[in-house]
Amino acid sequence: MAISKHALTGVPLNEITVKRKQLTRQEAVTVHIMAHEGHSYTDIVQQLGTNANRVGEVRRGEVHPDSAKIALNLLLAKRKGFGGARTNKRQSGHSRT
């Protein structure tokens, strides 16, 4: 991704690759997860290629109100799986003697 410069001022400009006028449910879930991960409001807006109003609607629950719960469930599932699989001390086929 090359950084272009403004034709008159020479100021470096970021390339805009994604523009969203509205957010899908999955994108709304991503908003909540990114906020939980500590991303700034501005970074969430820019990385999703939308404007602050759309992200605000999601965060306030005005749009895709179920997205916060979905995000929480995903985060909890990730946390449970993070420690690795637990092994059962008693494995079938092995007897104590």
Side-chain angles (χ1 to χ4, degrees):
M1 176 167 65
I3 296 178
S4 62
K5 293 187 178 188
H6 189 271
L8 293 177
T9 64
V11 172
L13 302 172
N14 292 325
E15 181 180 342
I16 300 172
T17 57
V18 177
K19 290 185 181 183
R20 292 181 175 98
K21 292 186 178 184
Q22 52 188 322
L23 299 175
T24 65
R25 175 177 286 129
Q26 192 66 19
E27 291 162 349
V29 169
T30 303
V31 167
H32 290 290
I33 291 172
M34 290 179 73
H36 176 77
E37 293 172 337
H39 295 271
S40 73
Y41 197 87
T42 301
D43 286 348
I44 294 170
V45 169
Q46 291 176 351
Q47 289 181 359
L48 286 174
T50 191
N51 67 54
N53 293 327
R54 300 297 79 79
V55 172
E57 290 169 348
V58 168
R59 297 286 288 149
R60 291 189 300 274
E62 296 171 7
V63 176
H64 304 299
D66 59 338
S67 62
K69 186 173 183 175
I70 295 168
L72 178 61
N73 288 337
L74 286 171
L75 289 165
L76 290 174
K78 179 183 175 188
R79 178 180 282 176
K80 287 181 183 178
F82 183 70
R86 293 185 179 208
T87 57
N88 189 350
K89 289 184 181 180
R90 287 191 189 179
Q91 296 179 356
S92 61
H94 298 293
S95 62
R96 289 182 160 173
T97 53

